[in-house]
Amino acid sequence: MLGGDVWLILAAGGCIVLAVVLIIRLKLHPFLALLCTALALAVARGMAPDRAMGAVQKGFGDIMGGAGLVVALGLTLGTMLQLSGAAASLAGATVGAVGPRWRPWGCLLASLVLGLPLFFETGVVLLLPIIAALPLRGALGSGDRDGRQHLRLMLPALAGLSVLHALVPPHPGPIIAVDQLGAGVGPTLVLGVLLGLPIAVLAGPVFAGLVVPHVAASHVAVSHITGGTAGKAHPTPWPSPWVALAVVLLPVLLIAAKAVPALGQNPVLALLGAPPVALLLANLVALTVFFAPRRGRGNGAHGDGAVNWDALWHQAMAPAAGILLSIAGGGAFKQVLVEAGLADTLARIAQQGAVSPIVLAWGIAVLIRLATGSATVATITASGALSAVAGTSGVAPEWLVLAVGAGSLFFSHVNDPGFWLVKNYLGLSTADTLKTWSVMETIVSVTGLILVLAASHLF
């Protein structure tokens, strides 16, 4: 590498450390911290003010106009699934379809179905309270006085949600990486599902069975979780689980159908298969199916029989603001990295053959994940930095998307908001959360890299 390349890599690394300090030590919101970091890098590289601001605005706008639509529509769909009782109906039917001793596998299946169109945090809030409320007498052995049985069910659910969040469109991370690296949405979705299934099995039921007996102070706060969310979120009667399943699978099937050459040439199906349009259609179908027949019943309804649309939209839209601003800030930082020349530097390193492009993609995402704590920010930054690599590496861009996604999950720890969300729902100490959740995320990440490397050589 040239001296300028070394300085650029050091400056980029220093700015990532700066982001950590601003977020962890000074308690700045990630959106503000990432904007400060982007401008600091621009100054370190001597970028002209107009060029620096242009990069910040472009990166922010690209994310809001692309993945921002997917995030917002996914969150609103998740809220409707929650408030209508469709999520509880589908989760209950999925978990209840198996015997007590197979319930960890049922919880994994429930997370893989429910998590397809939902943002990770939404899936956690929807699914874990339902699992916490399950009666477990006779399941998984004797007694549940210390919460270990519920933990054996929750870890597989978290594994399924994590795998989908990192590897499968229309989740925002994979959608962003697909756009940055020039991959196809449909092929990435299919490959992500095929590789994600064995990863989720290993990190979920298999790992949970091994680690839970060694968690010394496991205590799932069942009454707190169910009382706080599940007990007041679902009307009676619940929708049919088959109807709920149809709504959940609708956007995924439309996106996958667009990838089929014979179907994707149809202009109508091509439009419906675009992730924002597919999720918008799922939102409209959910409104029609779940809320029109039950006016005046359950949450979000007036006593006069009319649905309280203001309350519904407030609950659906409010959570999107912080998430959208955070990932848009990551987009701004990413674009400054690209303008500063990091993408070209990494492309030259990959072309020299010293490092496999897949390993390079995974490793960059791992470093950013460890530094910033955000899987989505890691995906945005890594895929943007690798944009010049995708066209010259000789590796199909879909494999790079999956490698970045796997790297973005590596060892969630105390600078990850998801770490504290999961810790709260599992009711564990910080040490036990590191032993369970953080190790589980690392298994997903490392296994993902191994499978992507192997599959890229076979296909």
Side-chain angles (χ1 to χ4, degrees):
M1 291 188 293
L2 303 176
D5 294 338
V6 174
W7 164 243
L8 173 58
I9 292 173
L10 290 175
C15 287
I16 291 172
V17 173
L18 174 62
V20 175
V21 173
L22 292 175
I23 295 169
I24 301 299
R25 295 294 184 186
L26 301 184
K27 307 300 181 184
L28 226 59
H29 190 278
F31 168 61
L32 298 177
L34 288 165
L35 285 182
C36 292
T37 304
L39 294 175
L41 179 61
V43 171
R45 289 294 291 169
M47 295 173 62
D50 289 346
R51 185 183 176 196
M53 287 308 304
V56 168
Q57 292 169 358
K58 182 180 187 304
F60 184 93
D62 288 349
I63 293 298
M64 292 297 283
L69 292 171
V70 174
V71 172
L73 290 166
L75 287 169
T76 55
L77 179 59
T79 301
M80 284 186 276
L81 289 170
Q82 178 187 14
L83 297 180
S84 66
S89 175
L90 183 55
T94 306
V95 175
V98 297
R101 294 191 178 277
W102 291 94
R103 283 221 174 133
W105 298 85
C107 291
L108 173 62
L109 178 60
S111 70
L112 292 174
V113 174
L114 270 178
L116 280 170
L118 304 181
F119 203 73
F120 173 78
E121 285 83 354
T122 306
V124 170
V125 172
L126 284 176
L127 189 55
L128 293 196
I130 297 168
I131 294 174
L134 289 173
L136 294 180
R137 182 172 298 176
L140 310 174
S142 61
D144 189 41
R145 296 183 183 277
D146 60 1
R148 284 194 176 98
Q149 289 197 52
H150 276 107
L151 186 59
R152 281 194 64 187
L153 301 184
M154 289 181 173
L155 286 176
L158 289 170
L161 293 173
S162 295
V163 167
L164 293 173
H165 179 64
L167 302 182
V168 181
H171 287 268
I175 285 290
I176 293 167
V178 162
D179 179 63
Q180 297 287 345
L181 298 173
V185 177
T188 303
L189 189 155
V190 174
L191 292 172
V193 170
L194 291 177
L195 296 187
L197 287 174
I199 295 172
V201 168
L202 178 62
V206 174
F207 173 67
L210 295 173
V211 74
V212 168
H214 303 286
V215 176
S218 172
H219 177 70
V220 179
V222 177
S223 60
H224 169 71
I225 295 175
T226 57
T229 305
K232 62 181 181 182
H234 311 302
T236 303
W238 285 346
S240 162
W242 293 106
V243 174
L245 178 63
V247 173
V248 167
L249 292 182
L250 175 61
V252 178
L253 293 177
L254 288 173
I255 293 169
K258 183 184 176 182
V260 179
L263 300 176
Q265 295 176 358
N266 184 298
V268 175
L269 188 56
L271 176 63
L272 295 178
V277 178
L279 282 168
L280 175 61
L281 182 59
N283 273 266
L284 297 176
V285 171
L287 277 172
T288 303
V289 171
F290 296 145
F291 290 95
R294 45 176 88 241
R295 292 180 180 273
R297 289 192 243 163
N299 268 8
H302 287 300
D304 58 4
V307 173
N308 186 346
W309 295 108
D310 289 340
L312 172 63
W313 294 129
H314 175 75
Q315 293 181 67
M317 301 297 182
I323 295 172
L324 288 173
L325 287 174
S326 294
I327 67 171
F333 180 43
K334 175 271 303 179
Q335 192 61 36
V336 173
L337 286 171
V338 172
E339 291 288 335
L342 184 62
D344 294 333
T345 297
L346 294 176
R348 287 198 301 273
I349 294 172
Q351 288 170 356
Q352 292 171 0
V355 181
S356 162
I358 291 175
V359 175
L360 182 65
W362 182 84
I364 294 172
V366 165
L367 292 176
I368 299 170
R369 159 68 158 183
L370 290 173
T372 66
S374 170
T376 305
V377 170
T379 301
I380 294 169
T381 310
S383 58
L386 290 162
S387 56
V389 175
T392 59
S393 66
V395 176
E398 289 77 15
W399 299 123
L400 295 178
V401 170
L402 297 177
V404 167
S408 73
L409 291 185
F410 190 88
F411 197 74
S412 165
H413 61 98
V414 295
N415 66 346
D416 177 12
F419 177 91
W420 301 106
L421 176 70
V422 170
K423 177 184 181 299
N424 178 62
Y425 272 91
L426 295 185
L428 300 177
S429 67
T430 299
D432 281 338
T433 306
L434 288 167
K435 186 187 297 184
T436 53
W437 160 253
S438 300
V439 173
M440 185 200 77
E441 289 280 85
T442 305
I443 292 172
V444 172
S445 180
V446 174
T447 307
L449 171 64
I450 294 171
L451 290 183
V452 170
L453 282 170
S456 66
H457 284 90
L458 293 175
F459 303 102

